[in-house]
Amino acid sequence: EVLQSIREVNENSSVHGLIVQLPLDSIHRIDTEKVTNAVAPEKDVDGLTSINAGKLARGDLGDCFIPCTPNGCMELIRQTGWRHVLYDIDISRSCVPKCIDRLAREIGLLSNEVELYGKTKAKVHLEAIDRLRIQPDGKYVVVTGITPTPLGEGKSTTTIGLVQALGAHLNNNVFACVRQPSQGPTFGIKGGAAGGGYSQVIPMEEFNLHLTGDIHAITAANNLVAAAIDARIFHEATQSDKALFNRLVPLSGGHRTFSPVQINRLKKLGIEKSDPSTLTEEEITRFARLDIDPESITWQRVLDTNDRFLRKITIGQSPTEKGYTRTAQFDITVASEIMAVLALTSSLEDMKHRLAKMVVATSRNGEPVTTEDLGVCGALTVLMRDAIKPNLMQTLEGNPVFVHAGPFANIAHGNSSILADKIALKLVGPEGFVVTEAGFGADIGMEKFFNIKCRYSGLRPHVVVLVATVRALKMHGGGPSVTAGMPLPKEYTEENLELVEKGFCNLRKQVENTKHFGVPVVVAVNAFKTDTEAELQLICKLAKEAGAFDAVQCTHWADGGAGAVELGKAVQKAAEAPSNFRFLYDTELPVVDKIRIIAQKIYGADEIELLPEAQHKVHLYTKQGFGNLPICMAKTHLSLSHDAEKKGAPTGFVLPVRDIRASVGAGFLYPLVGTMPTIPGLPTRPCFYDIDLEPETGEVIGLF
């Protein structure tokens, strides 16, 4: 009887809508789904039929009825402008993520290419690259920003918001590729790095903490090298040549045998022998003694914690070390060369080769000492065998994200892994997009993205997205300093077009820096609630006049992908525009010339000044054959210059280079500009004050 009544209404042209009141009130058992699906979809004003509910779930909002009660609530929110402010972790938990194996299937990965780590994260095997080898690559987009300020610019949030816009709202295949954050800043002052608001990687506590253990693997591998260096110096200092050789090549079954890594050392020394008993005394000495100069050691121990008291330490204090002490230090793990190797490697074989080439010190006769010389390179590859696989996660709106590698951008090259980018570019296909983020400002992370990462990957980007905010430009224009935890001065919360225009010099310089590489740049103005329309429009106008392909306002923190749709459209158009990608310098140029080009063209310096130690290293590394490596400047991220206090776009300065070090395995030289700690310290009130675990639910609280 009910079905007959529904059919009559369906066929009655004078009735435009029908609501089935639930629950069905009857003494008889009635199939609710059968009744609701009997309603003609075009008259189903409650949106309960499978057709309307399916279209709603798929996002076809213009082609279905939306249930009136939640739709009315959303309309009330829009009309009143009311928004309940949630913490990032609350927003993250409000969304139930897809099971990661389902996401892997959706993006085209096979089950044997995915290694599950619970329900929300997985590692992807490198065999996927081989299977997808003939698949054309998608469009390659890098997100960078103006020179950072304590007010924040929102590069990570913009990266995720753009991916959500391109995918969930503009129906493209899309992938985000981001770095894994260090736990130092997570528990220190910065907090997490999963994005924020309604544009973040989820679950954010998994993202910001251990993830799948890659950083711990790097810590273990790095410190194994450090232990090997000091142990080797100790044993060489306390043993004769013969005793040292006999212990390095011990008797087994009545005879001695070289290990493969020792055979490689013999070949490096020009000794073409494989039988230990045939070595002469002179060959035994050359083989057994690395003769490391302790003053030349560049390899430090690492820890993924902010700890200022490890910046300078003395090791070897125990009586068992027989008086062998030296001054050393700790770096933060993400500054380790092994992290840079992970980010720049192209295969397991390539990683093994790079790990073996890492130079840790110089011998007393001026020869570079490598991890292969120490015999530890094979063990490093074993420790890193799982870390090389990219980690798969997702955005709040269900888009795939690779989280892989996490080198800092001020003391390393500051970009996620080449392997993750390459797999993602194959998976999205020729019409899809891969969006990656370069650390800190365009003068730091983007310059290294182009000159180091793209040089080794062979990939060519289609678009640069340059993120700016009104309040950050106000600070570059001379706005007052801010103090964490204190209210913002009125200059940042009230309209001030003059201050915005003064600070625009920094954005103009970063647009200019982008254009050095011949890639179209789209400026994303990340809007905050205190910004005025006049301020936002002024930035967009000035950015276009400065040569940006386009400049658009974004509200992705508050609105998710919907708030970055215009940015997504601008990126799509820019990706079709002509591009004339080029490197900033030829690696065959002398080391000093490469440093000068970066300083003058990217930073705006008049000249560079090499202090005596830097001059010595230029001579040493050129002599050792490392002079043709790209340059990775280690410089403050808080200014275009070497002085963190100089905001805007300073000019007329001389850039001082106090030292140069070699990351031969990673494949770059890194000049040290000014003084810069390689392990951060904790502030007076670190983030860990607010971080805790809820025992009953097992939930992490206090992360942001």
Side-chain angles (χ1 to χ4, degrees):
E1 291 174 358
V2 174
L3 292 174
Q4 179 58 35
S5 297
I6 290 173
R7 276 193 290 271
E8 290 174 0
V9 174
N10 285 344
E11 294 167 2
N12 187 344
S13 60
S14 66
V15 178
H16 301 102
L18 170 61
I19 293 175
V20 177
Q21 184 66 47
L22 298 178
L24 296 172
D25 187 11
S26 173
I27 60 172
H28 303 291
R29 186 178 180 279
I30 300 178
D31 187 334
T32 300
E33 187 172 359
K34 190 172 183 179
V35 170
T36 54
N37 276 321
V39 178
E42 65 273 15
K43 295 188 178 185
D44 173 31
V45 293
D46 244 357
L48 295 179
T49 63
S50 296
I51 291 175
N52 278 320
K55 288 181 176 180
L56 177 67
R58 197 170 60 192
D60 296 339
L61 304 186
D63 190 33
C64 69
F65 280 106
I66 301 173
C68 55
T69 302
N71 198 27
C73 292
M74 293 301 293
E75 182 59 30
L76 287 171
I77 290 171
R78 275 191 290 270
Q79 289 183 16
T80 60
W82 178 86
R83 181 179 292 276
H84 176 51
V85 178
L86 296 171
Y87 290 106
D88 288 346
I89 195 165
D90 297 323
I91 296 171
S92 173
R93 290 205 182 113
S94 71
C95 175
V96 179
K98 300 176 187 176
C99 284
I100 203 69
D101 57 340
R102 175 189 161 193
L103 178 65
R105 289 194 302 273
E106 288 177 357
I107 62 177
L109 288 168
L110 305 180
S111 58
N112 63 348
E113 294 169 342
V114 179
E115 191 175 327
L116 302 180
Y117 278 65
K119 295 181 178 180
T120 58
K121 53 191 177 181
K123 279 195 166 292
V124 175
H125 291 223
L126 304 189
E127 287 81 356
I129 293 181
D130 297 328
R131 178 175 64 84
L132 298 166
R133 187 172 57 254
I134 61 172
Q135 165 90 312
D137 287 347
K139 305 290 196 306
Y140 197 26
V141 180
V142 60
V143 177
T144 185
I146 61 172
T147 302
T149 69
L151 294 167
E153 288 64 58
K155 280 201 325 298
S156 299
T157 308
T158 302
T159 299
I160 303 305
L162 173 59
V163 165
Q164 292 179 160
L166 286 168
H169 299 269
L170 296 173
N171 301 315
N172 295 284
N173 289 342
V174 65
F175 229 111
C177 291
V178 299
R179 291 176 294 164
Q180 180 183 354
S182 163
Q183 287 182 36
T186 297
F187 290 104
I189 194 168
K190 182 177 181 289
Y198 289 88
S199 294
Q200 54 175 306
V201 182
I202 59 170
M204 66 96 76
E205 59 266 50
E206 297 283 350
F207 177 89
N208 284 312
L209 297 176
H210 305 283
L211 197 56
T212 57
D214 294 351
I215 291 180
H216 300 316
I218 292 166
T219 302
N222 184 100
N223 292 344
L224 181 61
V225 175
I229 294 168
D230 289 304
R232 187 60 174 263
I233 294 173
F234 173 79
H235 291 306
E236 288 189 22
T238 55
Q239 298 178 50
S240 66
D241 292 355
K242 190 67 174 176
L244 192 61
F245 180 80
N246 288 343
R247 287 185 172 91
L248 287 170
V249 192
L251 277 171
S252 178
H255 62 278
R256 303 181 191 276
T257 305
F258 289 123
S259 66
V261 73
Q262 290 176 325
I263 293 289
N264 290 343
R265 171 155 172 77
L266 288 168
K267 289 179 179 177
K268 179 180 176 180
L269 295 170
I271 302 172
E272 296 295 332
K273 296 179 180 179
S274 58
D275 183 353
S277 65
T278 62
L279 266 63
T280 66
E281 287 190 9
E282 186 264 342
E283 288 171 339
I284 286 174
T285 300
R286 290 174 60 209
F287 169 80
R289 294 203 174 272
L290 300 180
D291 200 22
I292 293 171
D293 177 2
E295 296 298 318
S296 74
I297 296 171
T298 55
W299 195 269
Q300 310 298 345
R301 288 164 173 82
V302 299
L303 188 69
D304 198 36
T305 302
N306 288 7
D307 191 344
R308 66 191 330 116
F309 287 94
L310 295 178
R311 290 172 179 169
K312 187 174 182 180
I313 60 172
T314 302
I315 60 172
Q317 295 278 9
S318 170
T320 56
E321 287 13 281
K322 301 180 181 178
Y324 169 63
T325 64
R326 69 179 180 91
T327 301
Q329 69 182 61
F330 271 77
D331 294 339
I332 196 160
T333 298
V334 290
S336 169
E337 183 177 351
I338 296 177
M339 176 63 88
V341 166
L342 177 66
L344 291 169
T345 196
S346 58
S347 66
L348 189 58
E349 184 64 34
D350 179 58
M351 183 177 74
K352 183 177 180 179
H353 179 64
R354 287 174 179 269
L355 291 173
K357 286 199 307 179
M358 294 188 301
V359 174
V360 300
T362 301
S363 69
R364 295 183 193 277
N365 64 0
E367 294 299 316
V369 178
T370 68
T371 51
E372 186 173 57
D373 293 325
L374 285 166
V376 74
C377 55
L380 301 182
T381 309
V382 170
L383 286 170
M384 294 294 293
R385 72 189 189 281
D386 289 324
I388 196 174
K389 305 167 191 172
N391 304 295
L392 179 64
M393 295 187 76
Q394 62 192 284
T395 72
L396 271 169
E397 297 182 15
N399 310 105
V401 181
F402 273 143
V403 185
H404 199 217
F408 274 5
N410 55 352
I411 51 180
H413 75 284
N415 285 270
S416 59
S417 79
I418 287 173
L419 281 169
D421 290 1
K422 284 190 169 183
I423 296 173
L425 284 163
K426 295 297 182 186
L427 288 170
V428 299
E431 301 303 316
F433 289 83
V434 170
V435 182
T436 189
E437 178 196 346
F440 294 130
D443 57 306
I444 302 284
M446 184 200 71
E447 181 269 316
K448 296 170 184 177
F449 170 82
F450 287 130
N451 283 322
I452 298 175
K453 184 175 181 179
C454 290
R455 201 182 293 270
Y456 283 119
S457 71
L459 299 173
R460 298 294 177 261
H462 294 78
V463 185
V464 173
V465 174
L466 183 58
V467 182
T469 63
V470 168
R471 55 191 196 173
L473 289 179
K474 286 179 176 179
M475 179 167 278
H476 281 295
S481 60
V482 297
T483 304
M486 299 296 290
L488 288 177
K490 64 180 177 60
E491 286 85 351
Y492 300 112
T493 58
E494 298 176 2
E495 182 171 283
N496 192 325
L497 297 176
E498 182 183 357
L499 207 53
V500 171
E501 190 157 8
K502 281 184 180 178
F504 182 78
C505 61
N506 186 270
L507 179 54
R508 181 186 295 110
K509 175 57 179 165
Q510 300 291 27
V511 170
E512 176 190 310
N513 286 343
T514 303
K515 294 176 73 177
H516 283 310
F517 299 94
V519 180
V521 55
V522 174
V523 171
V525 186
N526 186 13
F528 286 71
K529 64 180 181 180
T530 54
D531 302 340
T532 69
E533 187 62 25
E535 289 173 329
L536 295 166
Q537 287 185 6
L538 175 62
I539 296 172
C540 291
K541 171 179 171 290
L542 293 174
K544 292 175 188 176
E545 291 174 357
F549 178 88
D550 202 351
V552 294
Q553 302 175 30
C554 311
T555 58
H556 43 274
W557 184 90
D559 300 317
V565 167
E566 293 307 311
L567 175 61
K569 290 177 179 177
V571 167
Q572 285 179 306
K573 290 178 184 176
E576 300 301 327
S579 177
N580 183 29
F581 176 74
R582 55 190 174 271
F583 296 119
L584 189 68
Y585 55 80
D586 186 334
T587 54
E588 296 303 317
L589 288 172
V591 173
V592 174
D593 289 354
K594 288 182 283 192
I595 297 172
R596 182 179 291 110
I597 288 170
I598 295 171
Q600 292 179 338
K601 290 192 175 181
I602 302 298
Y603 305 155
D606 278 357
E607 188 49 272
I608 62 172
E609 178 189 11
L610 267 66
L611 302 184
E613 184 61 26
Q615 294 176 24
H616 166 68
K617 292 294 181 59
V618 168
H619 174 73
L620 175 67
Y621 293 142
T622 303
K623 178 184 174 185
Q624 291 178 341
F626 306 140
N628 61 347
L629 292 174
I631 300 298
C632 181
M633 300 291 282
K635 179 187 81 72
T636 178
H637 58 289
L638 297 173
S639 172
L640 282 159
S641 75
H642 58 284
D643 183 350
E645 299 303 315
K646 290 185 177 179
K647 304 302 180 187
T651 57
F653 61 92
V654 175
L655 191 79
V657 180
R658 65 178 176 87
D659 196 2
I660 301 174
R661 295 177 187 166
S663 288
V664 178
F668 53 73
L669 300 178
Y670 61 103
L672 300 174
V673 177
T675 56
M676 185 184 314
T678 49
I679 184 168
L682 288 172
T684 304
R685 192 186 191 283
C687 297
F688 61 62
Y689 272 83
D690 301 310
I691 297 173
D692 204 346
L693 190 74
E694 174 52 59
E696 291 186 9
T697 63
E699 288 187 342
V700 176
I701 55 177
L703 274 179
F704 69 96

